[in-house]
Amino acid sequence: MTESRNDQLFSRALQSTPGGVNSPVRAFRQVGGVPRFVTRAEGPRFWDADGKRYIDYIGSWGPAILGHAHPAVVRAVQEAAARGLSFGAPTEGEIEMAETLCRLVPSMEQVRLVSSGTEAAMSAIRLARGATGRSKLIKFDGCYHGHADSLLVKAGSGMLTFNTPSSAGVPPEITQHTIVLDYNDCDQLETAFAAHGDAIACVIVEPIAGNMNLVRATPEFVACMQSLCQRHGALLVFDEVMSGFRVALGGAQSLYGVEPDMTVLGKVIGGGLPVAAFGGRRDVMRHLSPEGAVYQAGTLSGNPVAVAAGLATLAEIGAPGYHDRLARSTHTLADGLSRVARSAGVSFASDAVGGMFGFYFAAELPRSLKDVMASDIDRFKRFFHAMLDRGVYFAPSAYEAGFVSSAHDEATIEATIAAAAEVFASLA
Ligand SMILES: *Cc1c(COP(=O)(O)O)cnc(C)c1O
């Protein structure tokens, strides 16, 4: 048999790039096998280098909420590109973007645009530290906020004492200010504040976590974070890079009815091009340069082409009833998967919120990273590959959420559920 074009491309990529990919999860390391090289995408589908077609449930890890190559977004990008790619001077589009973000997420009075979620979260933390004059930050095991040094930390054995870097190349001196706690555990949070309250600059959290599969914060946990931050003068930072504009037009904060001090955005707001943002109350944001003393800058920040893609995307998803329809499709998928798994006698649970879903080879929905780790990962791998063979592309990891776009119509979702029914029968 001749080698597939995907195989050839992967061998070639391995020569010039570590692991053959530009972001680790793309390498299929957790599920094994050869990653698919994408040649083009349209609506809910993409095609690989061998010409095989897939229903896509990662949507570029969130941004492709309208489906791929949406005509309105493509047109906006083409028109903006023809006017010039980057100026290094301000544009009206950036104001429109800032005004749109602040209108949709009213807890933000001001925002700063950047180019990646990593940059946005890193800058938000620097700002929280600068605004409070404190050093420590609290994050939760399983939440991802990009790959800045102070965030690459795993929980140590002694909860409040040892926080070890989770990556080589990060000095422990940098992570000593980061406290890592279990998600949805209010007792731990109270203990941490009791011990370090006056040194904690911020608590950063994914209010609906999408980087340990999909795990929702309980309303009690959100209330607990809010009241402890308030009592101790720490800032509450919602990282809505994934949940923002995806679970609801106003983000997870609109679902929980909470106004965090700062919000971090990305993914959907660029519609597939690099735009991210962080924002919050004016009295916090005024500490940012050039107004305040907290430095932050970017050559391509607020890039006109990227902003045009973002504005076109936000205009589409702002249509009345958009998120209701998206949520309905996503629920149909998640419920359908659970139904056919149950018929096949496979232990399985699924959840969906807005256009985001998660599924787990476990009897119950997880509440923390430990729960997700206890699910049957081996079964997930077999499911993943059998679905891939049938032309359905789920995230190649049991620790990632899935994404439905408004281009996923009923027929596409029913075809997915039918394929899963076959696969579950073979797994049981
Ligand atoms: C994707 C993601 C980031 C990082 O964004 P990048 O654009 O990949 O740097 C940060 N936080 C959350 C919650 C994310 O999902």
Side-chain angles (χ1 to χ4, degrees):
M1 215 179 90
T2 55
E3 213 186 9
S4 85
R5 181 96 180 106
N6 281 310
D7 293 348
Q8 288 170 6
L9 288 172
F10 193 44
S11 309
R12 195 174 132 204
L14 285 166
Q15 299 306 310
S16 55
T17 299
V21 292
N22 285 308
S23 198
V25 71
R26 299 179 196 169
F28 275 31
R29 287 281 170 102
Q30 199 193 103
V31 292
V34 170
R36 304 305 192 260
F37 284 71
V38 179
T39 53
R40 74 187 175 90
E42 193 184 312
R45 282 177 263 278
F46 61 59
W47 285 259
D48 75 8
D50 289 311
K52 189 175 162 82
R53 190 178 85 161
Y54 301 89
I55 302 171
D56 172 23
Y57 286 107
I58 62 169
S60 182
W61 302 99
I65 192 166
L66 300 173
H68 295 285
H70 188 280
V73 180
V74 172
R75 202 179 321 116
V77 167
Q78 286 169 336
E79 287 171 7
R83 290 191 296 268
L85 299 179
S86 177
F87 313 123
T91 59
E92 188 172 346
E94 292 161 79
I95 309 176
E96 239 174 88
M97 181 60 125
E99 289 171 350
T100 305
L101 295 176
C102 292
R103 175 169 50 79
L104 296 174
V105 182
S107 67
M108 301 195 305
E109 292 177 321
Q110 288 193 314
V111 294
R112 171 66 53 87
L113 301 184
V114 294
S115 301
S116 74
T118 290
E119 203 187 342
M122 176 187 85
S123 306
I125 285 168
R126 184 181 307 140
L127 180 56
R129 285 172 162 163
T132 58
R134 300 172 173 185
S135 297
K136 291 199 183 298
L137 72 95
I138 292 179
K139 79 175 285 285
F140 301 97
D141 214 13
C143 287
Y144 178 67
H145 309 292
H147 61 89
D149 285 351
S150 65
L151 291 163
L152 293 180
V153 188
K154 57 178 177 242
S157 45
M159 194 224 331
L160 296 174
T161 45
F162 301 109
N163 296 299
T164 33
S166 61
S167 164
V170 177
E173 292 78 8
I174 290 181
T175 58
Q176 69 179 345
H177 297 299
T178 306
I179 299 168
V180 185
L181 306 176
D182 286 333
Y183 197 66
N184 276 327
D185 190 329
C186 192
D187 293 344
Q188 280 191 11
L189 196 61
E190 273 175 13
T191 309
F193 268 103
H196 299 290
D198 55 1
I200 295 169
C202 68
V203 172
I204 185 166
V205 63
E206 285 183 78
I208 294 177
N211 288 286
M212 47 171 152
N213 210 316
L214 171 66
V215 180
R216 297 173 192 241
T218 62
E220 297 74 33
F221 183 57
V222 173
C224 175
M225 287 189 286
Q226 198 179 22
S227 71
L228 284 167
C229 281
Q230 250 160 26
R231 197 174 329 143
H232 293 272
L235 300 180
L236 179 59
V237 183
F238 271 16
D239 182 348
E240 299 224 46
V241 169
M242 192 174 272
S243 58
F245 307 100
R246 171 55 78 174
V247 300
L249 191 56
Q253 56 195 268
S254 71
L255 299 178
Y256 287 97
V258 168
E259 298 220 321
D261 300 294
M262 271 200 276
T263 300
V264 185
L265 297 166
K267 299 198 167 109
V268 165
I269 69 168
L273 289 187
V275 184
F278 61 102
R281 285 201 322 269
R282 204 177 295 272
D283 65 292
V284 175
M285 295 302 287
R286 72 177 171 79
H287 291 276
L288 199 59
S289 64
E291 210 175 330
V294 177
Y295 190 69
Q296 187 276 330
T299 302
L300 294 177
S301 291
N303 173 271
V305 181
V307 163
L311 282 173
T313 302
L314 294 176
E316 293 292 323
I317 69 174
Y322 177 90
H323 281 88
D324 292 339
R325 289 190 296 278
L326 183 65
R328 213 151 36 232
S329 304
T330 314
H331 274 285
T332 304
L333 175 70
D335 295 347
L337 291 176
S338 283
R339 188 182 67 243
V340 294
R342 205 178 315 118
S343 311
V346 172
S347 178
F348 184 91
S350 67
D351 196 9
V353 48
M356 203 168 149
F357 66 92
F359 61 79
Y360 329 83
F361 286 87
E364 279 170 36
L365 293 178
R367 285 168 49 97
S368 69
L369 180 63
K370 289 189 181 95
D371 292 349
V372 179
M373 287 170 76
S375 71
D376 191 339
I377 306 285
D378 202 56
R379 221 170 211 195
F380 166 80
K381 290 181 202 174
R382 285 188 285 145
F383 178 77
F384 169 81
H385 277 293
M387 291 301 282
L388 197 66
D389 288 346
R390 286 165 176 77
V392 179
Y393 193 105
F394 283 121
S397 163
Y399 296 99
E400 302 289 347
F403 302 95
V404 170
S405 79
S406 43
H408 288 72
D409 58 14
E410 210 178 303
T412 304
I413 285 170
E414 288 308 328
T416 306
I417 296 168
E422 278 177 34
V423 173
F424 284 131
S426 75
L427 286 181

